[in-house]
Amino acid sequence: MTRPCTSWPERYYEETDPEKRRLLLEQAMTAGEGDAAENEVRRRLWELRYTRPRRNAPLADRYIALWLALDHWRKSGLAPRQVRAAQKELEELAGLLRPEGGADLVPPLVHSELVHAVRLYLSTCLQSNYGTMLMGLMRMSDEQLVGKAAKEVAEVTCLVPRWAGMDETFAPLAPAAQEAFALVFPGKDEVLEQALARCGQAGE
């Protein structure tokens, strides 16, 4: 039996390929699917999120680049002497979280885009060496993998922004990352809650 087509905009947020997402969005706008104002914001966010670093290069995902930048500073040890350098780098990317215009529509659609990006990142981690130990020679147990991902989500969204003095700037990232984590690791919310609690204690 043929499965029914996913409705709009769900199919847009299920697609991971940037060019296919653009095509889906263009088709929806041409056909008048969904709210026109929302689709226009989606178009702006697509252009903000994806960039081509050089001619003929694959599209780069700036939301995932933002996550990786935060993760870089997490892994660097969060030393006080690094704060100014981190702030300078992160401020250049902070505009991705609060693009101008359409105040009523932008925040929820940015949230949806962030959920999509973090979900894509975490799903990709499951298919890579992320879940290995001893230089890739051994695979983590499912429990260890969930714990590692929860620790990263908590520290990237809570610990690093607090260390950099940019809690308010990166506030939109935390709820989106938590939603994405629940989608990738269903039924493991408690593991993330524990990791977030430990980050909260670390900041006291």
Side-chain angles (χ1 to χ4, degrees), residues 14-128:
E14 289 178 357
E15 180 56 60
T16 58
D17 182 271
E19 292 289 8
K20 290 180 180 178
R21 296 189 83 212
R22 181 185 59 79
L23 182 59
L24 286 171
L25 181 54
E26 289 177 352
Q27 290 172 342
M29 295 178 79
T30 300
E33 289 187 84
D35 183 272
E38 288 184 1
N39 284 339
E40 176 58 26
V41 174
R42 289 188 182 98
R43 184 193 63 78
R44 287 168 43 210
L45 290 177
W46 189 98
E47 293 177 349
L48 183 68
R49 176 175 174 180
Y50 300 109
T51 182
R52 201 175 300 279
R54 58 186 182 279
R55 188 175 180 180
N56 298 325
L59 287 169
D61 190 328
R62 298 182 71 207
Y63 278 135
I64 291 182
L66 171 61
W67 184 276
L68 293 175
L70 289 162
D71 192 44
H72 162 75
W73 293 110
R74 175 182 78 99
K75 292 175 178 176
S76 73
L78 307 184
R81 67 180 183 279
Q82 297 174 320
V83 170
R84 291 187 65 182
Q87 289 174 336
K88 182 178 179 180
E89 178 184 4
L90 296 174
E91 282 171 0
E92 293 177 358
L93 294 166
L96 292 166
L97 302 178
R98 290 189 173 88
E100 298 178 357
D104 293 335
L105 293 176
V106 170
L109 292 177
V110 168
H111 174 84
S112 296
E113 207 64 32
L114 287 170
V115 172
H116 181 274
V118 180
R119 183 183 183 184
L120 173 60
Y121 170 76
L122 292 175
S123 298
T124 302
C125 288
L126 294 178
Q127 303 164 15
S128 67

